[in-house]
Amino acid sequence: MAAGGRKPSGFVSLLLLLTGVLLFWVTVPDLGTVARAATADGPRGTFTAARLVCVGHGGHTTCEWSGTFRSDDGTVELGGVKLYGSGRDTFEAGQTAQAVDVGNAGRVYDPTGSRAWIFTAVLTILAYVLLTAVARRHLMPPPLPARSGPSAATA
């Protein structure tokens, strides 16, 4: 229950619950891929840059190189994949770089790993905190009333 013995706001609890569920819905399916990207766990191979793909949003432009990936053992061949973290000045068309396929559709990663897991971990922890706050507000028993009188002073 809220401080001072007031009943918690249902509207605020609903917002916290919906936000927590939404964050879990967005982050949990990607936890495996993000963990594999962080540790560069997957077939290693070569990324060949084909073209620069840029997206503009909110006055900011983000660019990544798109191309092909072929694993060193030849078992994995992917076309139209982007190299995560590649920027405008990273390649020229036809250049190659070592990469790892971690199973993320349309994307390969640098063999040193990725720090994308940090953002996903923060969102997952935030979702847990929000859902815990809702549970504490509505599922925990109310605090016992304060004792008053002469027996409270001697206890």
Side-chain angles (χ1 to χ4, degrees):
M1 203 175 258
R6 295 182 318 202
K7 185 176 179 183
S9 166
F11 179 72
V12 171
S13 294
L14 178 63
L15 287 178
L16 293 175
L17 177 66
L18 291 176
T19 303
V21 168
L22 178 67
L23 288 175
F24 264 131
W25 181 70
V26 168
T27 59
V28 169
D30 292 331
L31 289 177
T33 303
V34 170
R36 286 190 303 278
T39 59
D41 179 25
R44 294 179 181 271
T46 303
F47 171 80
T48 303
R51 65 186 184 94
L52 185 63
V53 178
C54 296
V55 177
H57 46 84
H60 174 74
T61 302
T62 302
C63 297
E64 283 185 305
W65 278 90
S66 176
T68 58
F69 172 82
R70 179 178 166 89
S71 65
D72 291 338
D73 62 5
T75 59
V76 179
E77 289 190 35
L78 305 170
V81 295
K82 295 178 183 173
L83 179 61
Y84 179 83
S86 61
R88 184 181 301 270
D89 300 325
T90 308
F91 296 107
E92 289 183 14
Q95 283 186 308
T96 62
Q98 292 297 309
V100 177
D101 174 28
V102 300
N104 188 353
R107 192 170 302 272
V108 293
Y109 293 82
D110 188 276
T112 59
S114 164
R115 290 196 172 93
W117 67 269
I118 297 170
F119 184 67
T120 302
V122 167
L123 290 181
T124 304
I125 291 167
L126 179 59
Y128 176 79
V129 168
L130 291 174
L131 294 175
T132 301
V134 171
R136 290 191 70 188
R137 288 173 70 131
H138 292 281
L139 300 178
M140 298 295 290
L144 296 173
R147 292 175 36 176
S148 60
S151 62
T154 59

